[in-house]
Amino acid sequence: MQSYQPWCHGNITRSKAEDLLSKAARDGSFLIRDSESIQGAYALCVLYQNCVHTYRILPNEDKKISVQASEGVPIRFFSTLPELVEAYYNPNIGLVTHLQYPVQREEDADGEQESNNLPPQLPPRNIATNDVKDNDPKSSEQVCKSLSDTFLKRLQHMDLSTVPEQHQMAIQEYFRTSICLDVEQVQNGEANLPGLKKLTMAICKNLNSEVSRILPALEVFHHTLDQQISARIGKVPKQMSANSYQSVSLRLEQLTKLLYSIEDKAKSAMFDSVGNESCHRKSVIPTVTFEVKQESLGISTKMFLKVDVEGGKLYFKKAKDGPEEKYFTQNKILQLVKSQKVFKLVIVLETEKEKILRKEFVFDNTKKREGFCQLLQQMKNKHSEKPEPDMITVFIGTWNMGSAGPPHNLRSWFQCKGQGKTRDDTADHIPHDLYVIGTQEDPLSDREWAETVKSVLTKVTNIRFKQVVINTLWNIRIVVLVKPEHENRISHVFSNCVKTGIANTLGNKGAVGVSFMFNGTSFGFVNSHLTSGSEKKLRRNQNYTTILRFLNLGDKKLNPFDITHRFTHLFWFGDLNYRVEFPSTEAESIVTKIKQQQYHELLSKDQLSLERNDEKVFLHFDEEDITFPPTYRFERDTREKYAYTKAKATGTKYNLPSWCDRVLRKSYPLVHVVCHAYGCTTDIMTSDHSPVFASFEVGVASQFVSKQGPNSTTQGGIQVTNCVATLLTKSKTKFFIEYHSSCLEKTVKTSEGENAEHSDGSIKVRFGNQVELTPIISDPEYLFDQHILICVKSTDSDESYGEGCVALRAAQYCYTEFQITLTHHGEKTGTLTGGIQLHTSEGKPTEKLYDFIKIERDDTVTSKGKSSDTKKSSVIQKHDISNPSYMGVSFQRSNVIDKGWSYSMPPKNHPLAGQGSKESKKGGYDGSPHSATGKCSNPIDETETRSEMFDNPLYGSMGKTTGQGKDQDHQQRDHLAPPDPIIKAAEVESDRPPVPTPRNRSCTLSDTKPQAPTSSTTRPSMHKKPVVPSRLEGVVPVCRPPLPSKSWLGMPDPQTPKPRDYRDSSELPTKHRQTARPVHLQPHRDAYPEVPKMGRSVK
């Protein structure tokens, strides 16, 4: 394209192009945009009869372009786009209609420049650095002697004929004496080596004076050339500078690299020597004692709990300084159960006689209890026999440094200390596994900042962290550090950046990102600095969309998906610059509310929250509740005063106190993510921003090795059925679905769907064929951690019209229906509904570390018929709360409305999911009610559980399940049983296909005959009048979970029960649970009844 053309819109999105054409509202309106599927190609979009038709414009080898028009039309080649457009103004040459009305390009919303009139500060020169090794400390004398002898011997074999005598003596003196000072610095965690610095200064003394002598002349010459005299003067030919000064510049560059390399190698040698022959590693986590209260017979007694993480023991003491009366090793601590109402914690222990013991303690506050739980979790993890971790902790930090160097002490930032949701003091010494630090307006070089962070972490944790990657765009930087033991677990490291400054060409604003695999889990991290100014909210939204579209990270095979779908966990943070929308006259009132910690009213006007609620940015992202004060704009060197006015040439500018610095995250469905801290520091005051920290507990998958032999006949399978996509588009095209996943042998495509237009302008596409997906490994341990990425594409341009994700864990019980929101480039483009069935090989998942801690919502439900058996009386099932990040229910919060997905998963202790039995584990993965890891969540007697839930309308009538027995349980294991379509067409929505159900499942809505009880009990009768189901319940078999509420039109939304948490039930590990009593069922005529037409009880 040689000149500006109004109909050429560049890289706008497909949805934006459709909006522009819809506004034009005339047949023959057209525009040309860049293709989203093929680099270097274009898309010609034409409006005809209120539908948008898209044609690809492809270049050939000779750089000629042509339009993919209708079949039978001769292909015409053109040299330029204007030539092509001119030709297609003529009718009947292959398009649905000839081009008539070009749609003009919209003016860029950001024609103005940034508020800062000064030219952006150039970034510092970055020299790559090598990581240094970290091992255990060793005595300084031994290290000094070893290093000194080694280097002096090496020096004797060197050719020193060209080295001046004074330099030889200086080097020898360093190896004899000064090296000891550097070793001591290294052992203390300092990054500077004063002895080495003194030596280099002595050797380069003449060079330093020579540089000082010639530098003023070069600066004068540089400033003279910097002022352009005339626009007609062209660029200086490259040959002039290359021939005249290449040797000088190259020699200086080589000298700089050599100095850096000398320092790196010296540090590396010292770290090697410090740790090679060490005896014992210094304890990282000291013992911590907690004061608690224990109630017995209504009497409160003071107790002390002493946690020895390194020794793997928990001590119970009656006096803080008294003797250690009793202790339990970490393998005898089975579970921690937290109460939601009070600061109570139940510790479930195994005694020497393999009996279960429950001890209840009350802590002073929630923070103390959380610190205790984290220490015990760290103890379990440290002494775990598992070869690979299933949970790690991630620290996220973001700080706008304000172009000022950092203070000497940054400990509070990395220890999550300050205001907001912070960690307890007892957790200060628990190191995170990953540290991801993002900075903006960072004046340091990559090397300086990385060494500063490593030095602080070494002092805090006594661990020399490894640098995974560092990425910088001007003064926007991200650095990732990891524990040394995790270094080999990280692979596939990528980094990228996107500029969003003036005209998207300057890097003073933009984003830097990194991604990698931690064993089998993908991580993405984005640090962004968006446009400043309270009035530039729309420009910030554009920045976000630009970064989302063009930041290239992760698996290149996932090209149809943007970064919000490419990673199991995506963290987006930085100075997002969103402000609070108050008039400037409210400044004093805002400051008063901040001092009174009345943040709620201010947050109701937070631009980022408002834009997220309107689904304009960060769709389906989560952010922890903000309980800390605004982090911008402070007076430097104090946190007591906000500097909300700024004098400028155009007048006074107001920067109202705002939460500019944020941390958000987006994870795949049904994965474990818990935020333990989110706040800001109060003692780091060199910038007008306060550093923000966040701490996450994240579940990870291992690099799985199948237990199946290479010749195993067991083949896993995934069936996806009855997919219906509702697309918010006016495109006139056909669609198909692509399934992507690392667990699949290959990418799978469906055939074309059948389109049906709706009056609201959307298109409903049915994909009737059942899709078979073949996983590479059939073990449930592997498959339940996997996800299927779904992309709805057009057949004409192969462009995506929406992407989503389905978790295989949702189908671990039986056939499961799903409903996911389709998005493209951060915008909602429709929904997709369907069903998924999973078939796995034998075995079941092992217990995860994050199942160690549960949350109890209500008080313990005690049995009326008390037993003397300690096991039976101490493992009563708790009612629990849910973690919406994991359980399969849609999630609502004050600032997040739509989660983007929902599943018809049964509750974990729902009897409709099947009854657990030993025989059910002989075949494939059993369908008994399991926790998130497949562990049985119902350790008590079956009859007792049913009695507790009998009349709970949220679970339905329990009388419907009394006919289930061993045979049914055995059949329910087979997740690939062919569906039995027993739902009548008249009973379901006309636009929805019949829903398949697993075969051989008995279903009755009439009152069944009472079954003979297995044993006499004092519990209430099992034969109360069942809750009458609704009409919809009457046509859905009880062996299948209910449909998502949104998928049925014209019906009132049912009362949704509070979702359950994968880690929030108080069950014991499977090997300690009480074996369920067998239920002896008598056959009768209602064992397999027919389904009545109506959902009412039949007498």
Side-chain angles (χ1 to χ4, degrees):
M1 218 172 36
Q2 301 298 328
S3 60
Y4 171 83
Q5 300 294 341
W7 37 257
C8 187
H9 290 246
N11 55 16
I12 65 170
T13 62
R14 175 190 50 77
S15 58
K16 181 66 176 178
E18 291 182 5
D19 290 341
L20 293 175
L21 290 169
S22 298
K23 292 177 182 177
R26 290 194 294 179
D27 288 353
S29 299
F30 73 95
L31 60 83
I32 292 179
R33 59 176 174 84
D34 292 347
S35 172
E36 293 182 353
S37 58
I38 301 178
Q39 188 174 5
Y42 302 94
L44 172 61
C45 304
V46 184
L47 183 68
Y48 181 67
Q49 294 183 356
N50 204 31
C51 289
V52 177
H53 299 255
T54 303
Y55 304 90
R56 278 196 291 192
I57 302 176
L58 302 175
N60 62 6
E61 297 178 354
D62 299 328
K63 297 185 179 180
K64 299 285 187 178
I65 55 177
S66 62
V67 176
Q68 284 187 331
S70 303
E71 294 184 4
V73 178
I75 299 178
R76 302 180 60 183
F77 292 94
F78 305 91
S79 300
T80 62
L81 279 176
E83 183 182 339
L84 180 147
V85 171
E86 186 67 26
Y88 279 92
Y89 270 105
N90 300 316
N92 302 323
I93 56 174
L95 304 184
V96 65
T97 183
H98 62 286
L99 307 184
Q100 300 180 59
Y101 311 106
V103 175
Q104 300 291 323
R105 183 190 303 184
E106 282 191 342
E107 292 296 330
D108 190 359
D110 186 48
E112 74 276 7
Q113 294 186 353
E114 298 289 333
S115 57
N116 188 3
N117 295 325
L118 296 176
Q121 182 181 359
L122 291 176
R125 183 186 181 95
N126 298 321
I127 304 295
T129 179
N130 298 325
D131 286 329
V132 292
K133 297 183 179 179
D134 169 56
N135 285 299
D136 298 330
K138 186 183 178 182
S139 66
S140 299
E141 294 181 1
Q142 293 177 344
V143 173
C144 288
K145 189 175 185 308
S146 175
L147 283 179
S148 179
D149 293 343
T150 301
F151 289 128
L152 286 173
K153 288 180 181 178
R154 290 183 185 176
L155 190 62
Q156 291 176 1
H157 296 84
M158 297 290 177
D159 182 11
L160 304 178
S161 58
T162 58
V163 180
E165 185 178 353
Q166 65 270 26
H167 291 172
Q168 295 181 27
M169 295 176 62
I171 295 174
Q172 291 174 357
E173 181 63 23
Y174 173 75
F175 287 143
R176 286 196 186 98
T177 58
S178 301
I179 196 172
C180 295
L181 178 61
D182 290 348
V183 169
E184 185 178 349
Q185 291 290 100
V186 168
Q187 288 184 326
N188 293 332
E190 298 291 342
N192 296 323
L193 303 180
L196 180 65
K197 182 177 180 181
K198 182 179 179 181
L199 173 65
T200 52
M201 289 295 291
I203 295 177
C204 301
K205 181 178 179 181
N206 294 336
L207 175 63
N208 193 26
S209 61
E210 188 67 17
V211 169
S212 300
R213 189 178 67 84
I214 65 173
L215 194 58
L218 291 177
E219 286 179 345
V220 170
F221 186 58
H222 174 265
H223 288 310
T224 305
L225 296 176
D226 198 31
Q227 300 177 3
Q228 188 171 349
I229 298 174
S230 172
R232 292 175 296 176
I233 299 178
K235 293 184 179 180
V236 179
K238 293 182 179 179
Q239 291 79 6
M240 291 178 60
S241 60
N243 294 336
S244 304
Y245 301 105
Q246 184 180 24
S247 60
V248 176
S249 60
L250 282 179
R251 291 178 67 183
L252 288 174
E253 184 178 359
Q254 290 172 0
L255 179 61
T256 304
K257 289 183 178 180
L258 184 60
L259 288 173
Y260 278 127
S261 179
I262 288 173
E263 186 175 350
D264 285 338
K265 291 186 186 235
K267 287 183 179 180
S268 180
M270 290 178 191
F271 275 107
D272 282 344
S273 300
V274 163
N276 276 346
E277 300 174 2
S278 175
C279 298
H280 294 285
R281 178 181 167 186
K282 185 178 177 181
S283 176
V284 176
I285 304 176
T287 58
V288 182
T289 302
F290 294 83
E291 180 179 331
V292 296
K293 293 180 181 179
Q294 184 178 24
E295 292 187 1
S296 177
L297 300 177
I299 301 175
S300 180
T301 307
K302 185 185 295 185
M303 288 284 293
F304 295 91
L305 303 179
K306 179 180 175 182
V307 183
D308 183 2
V309 174
E310 302 296 327
K313 295 179 182 179
L314 173 63
Y315 295 90
F316 296 87
K317 304 168 59 176
K318 291 186 178 179
K320 186 173 184 180
D321 299 326
E324 296 163 351
E325 298 179 353
K326 192 172 184 180
Y327 71 86
F328 288 85
T329 57
Q330 57 86 23
N331 60 320
K332 299 295 184 181
I333 306 173
L334 304 181
Q335 198 168 81
L336 303 181
V337 184
K338 297 189 292 188
S339 173
Q340 190 184 16
K341 294 181 179 179
V342 294
F343 312 135
K344 185 178 71 175
L345 181 71
V346 177
I347 306 177
V348 184
L349 305 161
E350 181 184 355
T351 63
E352 297 176 355
K353 298 180 180 180
E354 295 189 356
K355 290 196 174 184
I356 304 304
L357 180 65
R358 293 169 57 94
K359 286 184 173 289
E360 296 186 2
F361 301 98
V362 178
F363 287 74
D364 292 339
N365 51 56
T366 305
K367 189 181 290 189
K368 288 293 182 187
R369 187 181 65 179
E370 289 300 316
F372 177 83
C373 292
Q374 290 181 37
L375 283 171
L376 258 65
Q377 202 166 36
Q378 185 76 8
M379 178 198 298
K380 298 282 284 188
N381 189 31
K382 190 178 187 66
H383 299 276
S384 173
E385 296 179 356
K386 295 181 181 180
E388 295 296 330
D390 52 38
M391 186 197 77
I392 62 173
T393 53
V394 180
F395 172 89
I396 304 290
T398 176
W399 183 26
N400 186 320
M401 300 176 67
S403 300
H408 180 70
N409 187 2
L410 295 172
R411 296 175 68 102
S412 61
W413 190 19
F414 298 116
Q415 290 180 328
C416 300
K417 292 296 187 65
Q419 293 180 288
K421 185 176 182 179
T422 59
R423 298 208 300 178
D424 187 59
D425 294 341
T426 55
D428 283 352
H429 297 280
I430 301 179
H432 290 78
D433 297 282
L434 277 175
Y435 285 86
V436 184
I437 299 100
T439 53
Q440 310 84 38
E441 298 183 21
D442 188 342
L444 305 183
S445 66
D446 283 359
R447 177 191 181 83
E448 291 172 327
W449 179 239
E451 287 299 329
T452 299
V453 173
K454 286 181 184 180
S455 176
V456 175
L457 288 178
T458 301
K459 294 176 182 178
V460 172
T461 66
N462 198 37
I463 298 174
R464 183 69 177 177
F465 277 78
K466 296 290 185 178
Q467 180 177 306
V468 176
V469 62
I470 189 167
N471 187 21
T472 303
L473 170 67
W474 287 33
N475 300 107
I476 309 170
R477 176 176 295 118
I478 185 172
V479 58
V480 180
L481 303 174
V482 67
K483 276 184 177 179
E485 60 261 34
H486 297 318
E487 186 178 19
N488 294 331
R489 296 185 174 111
I490 290 182
S491 62
H492 301 81
V493 181
F494 295 99
S495 61
N496 195 234
C497 60
V498 173
K499 300 174 182 177
T500 62
I502 300 173
N504 286 345
T505 57
L506 295 184
N508 60 324
K509 295 293 188 292
V512 290
V514 299
S515 66
F516 53 83
M517 296 290 296
F518 187 100
N519 279 346
T521 302
S522 55
F523 283 89
F525 300 94
V526 180
N527 171 31
S528 60
H529 191 187
L530 307 186
T531 299
S532 61
S534 178
E535 71 284 357
K536 296 181 182 178
K537 176 179 64 178
L538 297 181
R539 177 61 178 163
R540 283 189 281 276
N541 294 354
Q542 290 181 354
N543 291 165
Y544 164 78
T545 304
T546 301
I547 296 168
L548 191 68
R549 291 183 62 193
F550 299 109
L551 195 62
N552 190 10
L553 298 171
D555 189 354
K556 306 306 179 188
K557 296 178 182 177
L558 300 178
N559 186 50
F561 304 89
D562 58 43
I563 58 174
T564 63
H565 289 103
R566 290 191 181 189
F567 306 107
T568 312
H569 305 285
L570 173 65
F571 296 90
W572 193 313
F573 48 93
D575 182 2
L576 306 185
N577 255 323
Y578 286 93
R579 312 300 174 92
V580 292
E581 290 191 336
F582 283 97
S584 57
T585 55
E586 297 288 327
E588 286 295 336
S589 175
I590 292 174
V591 174
T592 302
K593 286 183 171 62
I594 294 172
K595 291 180 179 178
Q596 298 172 352
Q597 297 186 0
Q598 298 179 5
Y599 305 140
H600 181 73
E601 183 179 347
L602 303 182
L603 286 169
S604 66
K605 296 293 185 179
D606 173 59
Q607 288 180 344
L608 179 57
S609 299
L610 296 174
E611 295 301 288
R612 289 180 61 209
N613 289 338
D614 292 339
E615 298 185 344
K616 294 180 180 179
V617 292
F618 293 101
L619 182 65
H620 302 151
F621 276 75
D622 285 334
E623 183 183 23
E624 187 71 9
D625 292 335
I626 294 177
T627 57
F628 52 91
T631 56
Y632 177 80
R633 178 179 184 252
F634 288 101
E635 283 192 3
R636 297 180 189 244
D637 300 324
T638 180
R639 298 293 93 155
E640 301 296 328
K641 186 176 181 181
Y642 286 94
Y644 51 82
T645 59
K646 186 176 183 180
K648 303 193 69 175
T650 55
T652 302
K653 180 181 179 181
Y654 282 83
N655 287 305
L656 297 180
S658 300
W659 287 273
C660 294
D661 310 282
R662 311 287 274 270
V663 178
L664 299 98
R665 62 108 186 149
K666 184 177 185 291
S667 299
Y668 282 168
L670 306 187
V671 296
H672 173 74
V673 183
V674 176
C675 181
H676 284 307
Y678 188 35
C680 66
T681 64
T682 57
D683 58 347
I684 300 176
M685 301 176 288
T686 54
S687 170
D688 51 3
H689 290 253
S690 287
V692 170
F693 52 79
S695 174
F696 296 92
E697 179 183 294
V698 178
V700 292
S702 63
Q703 292 281 19
F704 192 81
V705 178
S706 177
K707 302 181 181 68
Q708 304 289 329
N711 300 323
S712 175
T713 58
T714 304
Q715 180 66 52
I718 305 167
Q719 287 183 345
V720 184
T721 58
N722 296 330
C723 285
V724 178
T726 303
L727 302 177
L728 307 177
T729 181
K730 294 186 177 181
S731 292
K732 193 72 172 179
T733 181
K734 291 289 186 180
F735 301 93
F736 65 94
I737 295 179
E738 274 188 358
Y739 297 94
H740 297 253
S741 178
S742 59
C743 73
L744 299 180
E745 294 180 344
K746 60 181 179 179
T747 300
V748 178
K749 297 182 181 181
T750 67
S751 55
E752 290 183 2
E754 298 180 2
N755 293 8
E757 297 184 6
H758 276 226
S759 57
D760 60 357
S762 64
I763 297 177
K764 181 163 285 190
V765 188
R766 300 185 185 281
F767 303 94
N769 295 337
Q770 178 174 285
V771 179
E772 296 280 352
L773 306 177
T774 304
I776 56 177
I777 301 176
S778 60
D779 297 67
E781 177 85 20
Y782 169 78
L783 282 180
F784 290 166
D785 286 331
Q786 304 304 311
H787 296 77
I788 304 294
L789 294 177
I790 298 177
C791 179
V792 180
K793 283 187 169 184
S794 63
T795 56
D796 55 4
S797 60
D798 197 46
E799 291 183 334
S800 172
Y801 278 67
E803 306 100 51
C805 178
V806 175
L808 294 186
R809 187 181 295 277
Q812 64 176 312
Y813 303 122
C814 57
Y815 172 87
T816 301
E817 291 191 337
F818 62 83
Q819 175 174 317
I820 59 177
T821 300
L822 297 176
T823 64
H824 184 61
H825 293 327
E827 298 177 351
K828 182 177 179 179
T829 58
T831 59
L832 179 70
T833 61
I836 186 170
Q837 243 178 340
L838 179 63
H839 177 66
T840 66
S841 61
E842 296 181 8
K844 67 176 184 177
T846 58
E847 181 185 6
K848 304 290 188 182
L849 179 61
Y850 45 76
D851 282 327
F852 175 61
I853 302 176
K854 307 293 182 182
I855 299 179
E856 174 191 40
R857 186 179 66 185
D858 297 327
D859 294 335
T860 302
V861 181
T862 57
S863 174
K864 292 182 180 179
K866 293 184 179 180
S867 171
S868 60
D869 190 346
T870 309
K871 293 183 181 180
K872 185 180 299 184
S873 63
S874 62
V875 294
I876 300 299
Q877 176 72 23
K878 302 295 181 298
H879 299 284
D880 49 30
I881 65 174
S882 70
N883 181 346
S885 298
Y886 198 100
M887 287 310 299
V889 284
S890 55
F891 167 53
Q892 286 196 0
R893 211 173 71 174
S894 59
N895 56 349
V896 179
I897 298 176
D898 182 17
K899 195 70 181 163
W901 48 266
S902 63
Y903 300 105
S904 60
M905 292 173 62
K908 282 180 288 186
N909 57 353
H910 200 309
L912 304 186
Q915 307 300 328
S917 66
K918 292 182 180 179
E919 280 138 17
S920 67
K921 296 167 188 168
K922 294 179 182 177
Y925 181 72
D926 73 312
S928 60
H930 279 67
S931 70
T933 58
K935 183 178 59 174
C936 179
S937 62
N938 189 6
I940 64 171
D941 183 84
E942 208 171 57
T943 311
E944 293 175 354
T945 306
R946 291 183 180 180
S947 299
E948 295 298 330
M949 298 169 54
F950 185 80
D951 271 342
N952 187 346
L954 299 181
Y955 292 93
S957 171
M958 300 303 296
K960 294 183 288 185
T961 66
T962 56
Q964 292 185 352
K966 185 186 302 183
D967 293 339
Q968 263 186 292
D969 179 69
H970 183 74
Q971 294 156 3
Q972 195 164 359
R973 298 192 314 265
D974 188 0
H975 298 185
L976 282 177
D980 184 13
I982 61 174
I983 301 179
K984 305 218 182 217
E987 302 287 285
V988 297
E989 180 192 358
S990 59
D991 289 334
R992 186 181 179 86
V995 180
T997 57
R999 65 176 180 179
N1000 298 334
R1001 310 285 178 86
S1002 72
C1003 173
T1004 177
L1005 297 173
S1006 61
D1007 289 333
T1008 58
K1009 293 182 179 181
Q1011 301 300 311
T1014 59
S1015 61
S1016 60
T1017 176
T1018 58
R1019 303 191 67 77
S1021 171
M1022 286 287 293
H1023 314 304
K1024 294 182 181 180
K1025 183 178 179 181
V1027 178
V1028 178
S1030 65
R1031 181 174 181 267
L1032 288 178
E1033 285 175 330
V1035 297
V1036 179
V1038 296
C1039 55
R1040 182 175 56 79
L1043 296 175
S1045 59
K1046 292 185 179 180
S1047 62
W1048 296 88
L1049 301 178
M1051 297 296 295
D1053 292 337
Q1055 182 67 30
T1056 305
K1058 196 171 182 72
R1060 296 173 56 84
D1061 192 346
Y1062 61 93
R1063 54 175 293 175
D1064 290 344
S1065 64
S1066 59
E1067 77 274 8
L1068 299 178
T1070 307
K1071 67 176 183 178
H1072 300 298
R1073 72 176 187 270
Q1074 178 69 19
T1075 306
R1077 300 180 211 161
V1079 180
H1080 302 287
L1081 301 178
Q1082 297 178 359
H1084 57 88
R1085 59 184 178 88
D1086 289 335
Y1088 297 94
E1090 295 182 358
V1091 180
K1093 294 183 180 179
M1094 300 299 292
R1096 305 181 62 84
S1097 300
V1098 180
K1099 297 290 185 181

